[in-house]
Amino acid sequence: MTMLGDDNPVCDVAAVEALEREDCTARWRQYFGKSPPKYISLRFMRRALAHEMQLRVHGGHAAGIKKALNAALIEGERKGNAAVRATSKRLVATRPGTHLVREWNGRTYRVEILEQGFLFDGKIYGSLSGVALRITGTRWSGPRFFGLAS
């Protein structure tokens, strides 16, 4: 990522894709003022950094979008943000056709939600916990493993 100075940044998204974890973590702190979440994947960090870089170079969201996002944030906090997040995750994640993606031990796993279960590696599982067991070899809460529960 090239920066010509704080007032004139150059958006080099390809350079972000080449950053290693240590460099991504340093950039994250620079851009967001804090360390990245503990279990965030390198791929996600790179994408978030590239997005933030583009926002800074191209001016960010329109005023109306910023206002709507802030209103949603305030409403979520008013209602108890953890409950709002958990409910919305469950509603979105339970729709057939939704794909859940999880990185585990350097490999990315993808599960499709079906009407009758969960499709993973060509096999249909009755629960996400069954998929998590297949991936990790140990018993996990499937919703927790895929980030749907806290």
Side-chain angles (χ1 to χ4, degrees):
M1 176 173 8
T2 306
M3 298 299 279
L4 297 177
D6 291 335
D7 57 337
N8 190 10
V10 174
C11 189
D12 187 358
V13 174
V16 173
E17 287 299 315
L19 292 176
E20 296 298 326
R21 179 170 290 279
E22 200 171 284
D23 296 323
C24 279
T25 300
R27 298 279 183 184
W28 190 282
R29 285 188 195 107
Q30 176 187 353
Y31 276 4
F32 302 110
K34 59 184 175 183
S35 294
K38 190 174 181 180
Y39 296 108
I40 193 171
S41 72
L42 180 58
R43 182 177 181 198
F44 182 83
M45 266 200 297
R46 288 175 176 156
R47 287 181 175 192
L49 288 169
H51 179 259
E52 181 65 20
M53 204 168 69
Q54 290 174 8
L55 286 175
R56 290 179 182 205
V57 169
H58 300 292
H61 297 296
I65 292 174
K66 286 180 185 177
K67 185 177 179 180
L69 289 170
N70 282 328
L73 178 64
I74 290 167
E75 179 68 13
E77 288 174 348
R78 186 183 67 74
K79 289 184 175 180
N81 56 5
V84 171
R85 280 195 312 269
T87 300
S88 64
K89 279 184 183 180
R90 279 193 302 272
L91 289 174
V92 170
T94 56
R95 290 188 203 149
T98 299
H99 290 260
L100 304 174
V101 180
R102 172 67 151 86
E103 186 178 316
W104 177 257
N105 288 341
R107 182 172 167 211
T108 302
Y109 297 91
R110 185 179 179 124
V111 175
E112 181 179 357
I113 297 177
L114 306 172
E115 289 285 344
Q116 67 275 23
F118 304 89
L119 179 64
F120 173 68
D121 277 350
K123 182 178 175 189
I124 296 175
Y125 291 80
S127 71
L128 279 177
S129 296
V131 176
L133 174 62
R134 171 76 168 84
I135 291 170
T136 66
T138 59
R139 296 204 177 273
W140 278 73
S141 160
R144 176 170 275 177
F145 181 77
F146 285 97
L148 302 176
S150 47

